[in-house]
Amino acid sequence: MTTIRRSEFIALAAGAAGLGLAPRARAADYPTRPIELIVPASAGGGTDVLARAFAEAAKNHSPQPFITVNRPGASGAIGFAETLNARPDGYKVCVVFVELAILPFLNQIKFTADDFRMIAQLNADPAAIMVRTEAPWQTIEDFLAEAKRRPGGVTLGDSGVGSIWHLSGAAMAEKTGVRFLHVPYPGAAPGLTALLGGHVDAMCCGPGEANAFVQGGKMRALTVMADSRVPGFDTVPTLKERGVDLTIGTWRGLGVPRATPAPVVEVLGDIARKAAAEPGFKEALAKVNLGYSYADARTFDAHIAKDREFFRELAGRLQLG
């Protein structure tokens, strides 16, 4: 994968700020035009669903609309970089997710979460293992036993090299002593389509991302990698219940370039807090089994800092860097 250098993608933003082009003096008037909501993921996946639900809920609390713009690729790095390359004026907000705490340790990006100013966390979901309903494995034990019998012969898809679902599958393999054939896709949605078509044996993703297929009787979940069972997937056991001590998953929230003026960040934080509290937003997430998890910027920063250490150690053990 091509390395994306921090200097290449934030130089314009820094230069604009240095020249006085960032409209700091006009921050009190913000926003006066539509705000781009960058979605660093493909349409149809959990990140996309959350972004569109937020944009809809924000209509009641922002004088200007949030316009969702999908920028998939490189496990989120493309969308993250575009946001950092933008003028730090609050008119380009990014849906950030857990890969921002992972990719620096895989040497795939040269920027980090520190280059963003967080607005709020909106969601958290565990990893899950999905198979087609006609697959021969009825339990996670059956699936892992097959992988042990055929090292590298069972294919496991995910949303891309370095993605949280890639690391989740790799961590499960490490914990259970099995080896899968890793098959990356440019997002959860295309990966699930591939699973549905029989191109891979299983898919690691968020429960909510496969919800429509599960409800439609086309897929089933073998396990979730959470501390407790997930609402909407109450019959699906956790790995911990099966004796595998692994809890891993994603979070999603909003961020802007670090140089964004504080008054603009405050406005965005207020919009995010009110939009996240909207019953319609919570219902939209619950409808597709995406976990609602709001946190303000300070709490979100602390969560990210903790996860960065976890993923630094995991990436080192798995030798993914």
Side-chain angles (χ1 to χ4, degrees), residues 164-188:
I164 181 58
W165 308 137
H166 173 204
L167 264 69
S168 298
M172 182 179 71
E174 177 199 38
K175 285 280 188 179
T176 58
V178 305
R179 181 164 59 87
F180 299 108
L181 177 60
H182 174 224
V183 184
Y185 291 93

Side-chain angles (χ1 to χ4, degrees), residues 39 43 75 126 131 139 153 158 213 321:
V39 185
S75 298
V131 296
T139 67
D158 56 51
F213 296 118

Side-chain angles (χ1 to χ4, degrees), residues 80-240:
F80 297 152
E82 178 175 327
T83 305
L84 291 178
N85 189 39
R87 180 181 294 182
D89 56 8
Y91 287 100
K92 190 164 284 192
V93 177
C94 191
V95 179
V96 295
F97 40 76
V98 71
E99 279 79 357
L100 188 58
I102 297 172
L103 295 176
F105 303 117
L106 306 186
N107 297 317
Q108 292 182 5
I109 58 175
K110 297 300 182 183
F111 52 82
T112 73
D114 291 336
D115 292 302
F116 283 87
R117 197 163 182 177
M118 298 305 164
I119 303 300
Q121 179 180 330
L122 302 173
N123 154 264
D125 286 305
I129 299 296
M130 299 289 170
V131 296
R132 296 183 304 283
T133 52
E134 63 268 25
W137 314 292
Q138 298 299 316
T139 67
I140 188 63
E141 289 89 348
D142 293 340
F143 180 68
L144 292 172
E146 178 74 8
K148 284 185 179 180
R149 282 193 298 270
R150 297 192 294 125
V154 176
T155 53
L156 181 61
D158 56 51
S159 54
V161 175
S163 70
I164 181 58
W165 308 137
H166 173 204
L167 264 69
S168 298
M172 182 179 71
E174 177 199 38
K175 285 280 188 179
T176 58
V178 305
R179 181 164 59 87
F180 299 108
L181 177 60
H182 174 224
V183 184
Y185 291 93
L192 288 165
T193 299
L195 174 61
L196 195 63
H199 302 293
V200 288
D201 295 316
M203 178 74 181
C204 187
C205 64
E209 294 176 310
N211 183 66
F213 296 118
V214 172
Q215 295 301 316
K218 296 178 179 179
M219 294 182 188
R220 65 171 171 270
L222 296 181
T223 191
V224 292
M225 303 181 200
D227 288 328
S228 58
R229 295 196 180 191
V230 176
F233 287 77
D234 307 88
T235 62
V236 181
T238 67
L239 273 182
K240 285 193 170 184

